[in-house]
Amino acid sequence: MTKTKITTALAAIGLTALTLSALPATAQASDLDRDLSARRVAAEAPVGPLADGNLYAYEHQNRGGSYCKWSLNDGNWNTCSPGGNMRNKASSLQNSGFPSGNDDVIVYYGPGQTGAWYCLGNGRYLENIVHIKFGPNGGGAGGDNQSLNDNIASHKWARAC
């Protein structure tokens, strides 16, 4: 190869690299928006962002262990189906509510929808809630800035976060 051909080839490679770096990057899936259709899940639980009208809470991260599901508000997670008791046991959450008026879910630190709260938007999946915290919004009922992990006692459906 001549020096001119080598210079031309290197210039073409450099121009290609520059062009590719200027293109918008493909968005990386976050913990909140991940499509988990390839992951192993509990038998009845939905896969990925499928809407079935339920909130799911799992005992372990990544939809592991026992789970419960709700289509309505619940003031005390000490009884739920099919897992039996998820109060202060959840480590991952999924909002598979139908997109409608009440499609976001507010989870609470205390029973009876009391204490600090966190809003889980429609279609959101949190595979690990250890580092996600309730807001400083619990007042005297507690839970301010506490981790959601093993600290959720109740929930209600809401119009918006």
Side-chain angles (χ1 to χ4, degrees), residues 6 14 33 35 39 47-48 56-57 74 82 107 116 124 144 149:
I6 293 172
D33 298 314
D35 176 9
R39 293 186 185 251
V47 176
Y56 289 83
D74 191 339
V107 294
R124 298 298 214 176
D144 289 354
N149 191 62

Side-chain angles (χ1 to χ4, degrees), residues 79-103:
T79 58
C80 59
S81 178
N85 179 1
M86 196 56 63
R87 183 170 170 187
N88 299 332
K89 293 183 180 181
S91 293
S92 59
L93 298 171
Q94 178 176 326
N95 179 349
S96 293
F98 295 120
S100 65
N102 286 333
D103 57 5

Side-chain angles (χ1 to χ4, degrees), residues 50-122:
L50 289 177
D52 67 358
N54 291 302
L55 165 66
Y56 289 83
Y58 299 87
E59 181 182 19
H60 302 302
Q61 298 171 11
N62 301 313
R63 292 189 180 110
S66 299
Y67 74 98
C68 288
K69 64 181 181 176
W70 301 267
S71 61
L72 301 172
N73 298 340
D74 191 339
N76 196 337
W77 281 17
N78 66 349
T79 58
C80 59
S81 178
N85 179 1
M86 196 56 63
R87 183 170 170 187
N88 299 332
K89 293 183 180 181
S91 293
S92 59
L93 298 171
Q94 178 176 326
N95 179 349
S96 293
F98 295 120
S100 65
N102 286 333
D103 57 5
D104 295 336
V105 178
I106 300 174
V107 294
Y108 292 88
Y109 180 80
Q113 291 94 12
T114 61
W117 55 271
Y118 176 88
C119 190
L120 181 65
N122 181 256

